[in-house]
């Protein structure tokens, strides 16, 4: 190689790191052209991909009909008084409420605790002040999780949408 042996060793002041930079451009060009050539060769072969069916199979509804039915189903659930969709979607909403509340609170508490530990490690003399602020902020973050739990419990057991 132009830059000397290529085995791994720490860079010395006599050998700057510019050698790797000078070889990166030709290597990138060669690899990019090889990938483009392989892609062109794959597309040139007509049998590389499976052709889509010209007509749908008998008895199978087109995708547009299935999509419209999926969009109209919740609307039909509201129109029907004895529908099972409202309780089912309420259970899904309750799951999302408690899940997102727990994830958000957990991430926030982890970040706050990490920052507090960083602050205490930098200035140990203010550890008592930081600990008090941390506990107060953790309590506020946990209250948001409890609000998510309350919303989930209301959706499951005291749902205003179900009569």
């Amino acid at each position: 190689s132009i830059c000397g042996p290529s085995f791994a060793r720490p860079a010395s002041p006599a050998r700057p790191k510019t050698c790797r930079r000078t070889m990166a451009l030709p290597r990138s060009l060669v690899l990019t052209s090889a990938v483009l050539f392989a892609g062109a060769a794959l597309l040139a072969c007509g049998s590389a991909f499976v052709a889509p069916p010209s007509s749908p199979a008998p008895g199978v509804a087109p995708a547009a009909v299935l999509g419209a039915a999926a969009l109209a189903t919740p609307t039909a659930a509201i129109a029907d008084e004895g529908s099972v969709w409202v309780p089912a979607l309420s259970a899904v909403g309750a799951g999302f409420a408690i899940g997102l509340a727990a994830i958000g609170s957990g991430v926030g508490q982890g970040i706050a605790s990490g920052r507090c530990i960083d602050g205490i490690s930098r200035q140990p003399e203010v550890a008592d002040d930081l600990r008090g602020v941390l506990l107060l902020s953790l309590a506020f973050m946990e209250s948001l999780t409890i609000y998510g739990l309350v919303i989930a419990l209301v959706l499951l057991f005291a749902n205003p949408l179900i009569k």
Side-chain angles (χ1 to χ4, degrees):
S1 135
I2 297 171
C3 300
S6 63
F7 54 87
R9 68 178 178 190
S12 64
R15 275 182 54 182
K17 290 187 176 184
T18 57
C19 178
R20 283 191 183 179
R21 258 187 266 148
T22 58
M23 294 304 293
L25 180 64
R27 182 177 55 232
S28 177
L29 289 175
V30 167
L31 289 175
T32 303
S33 62
V35 168
L36 289 176
F37 180 73
L42 186 64
L43 289 176
C45 299
S47 64
F49 299 103
V50 177
S54 58
S55 63
V60 176
V65 173
L66 293 175
L71 289 175
T73 302
T75 307
I78 293 172
D80 187 15
E81 288 293 328
S83 176
V84 72
W85 282 101
V86 174
L89 292 176
S90 296
V92 171
F96 277 125
I98 192 64
L100 291 176
I103 288 171
S105 178
V107 169
Q109 288 178 358
I111 291 171
S113 299
R115 298 281 170 91
C116 181
I117 291 172
D118 288 342
I120 290 173
S121 66
R122 287 190 190 125
Q123 294 180 343
E125 62 272 4
V126 294
D128 292 333
D129 296 334
L130 287 177
R131 193 176 303 118
V133 171
L134 173 70
L135 290 176
L136 185 64
S137 63
L138 289 178
F140 284 134
M141 285 184 242
E142 194 63 34
S143 70
L144 295 176
T145 306
I146 294 170
Y147 290 149
L149 176 66
V150 168
I151 290 172
L153 291 175
V154 164
L155 284 175
L156 288 177
F157 299 113
N159 196 337
L161 301 174
I162 300 173
K163 295 180 181 177

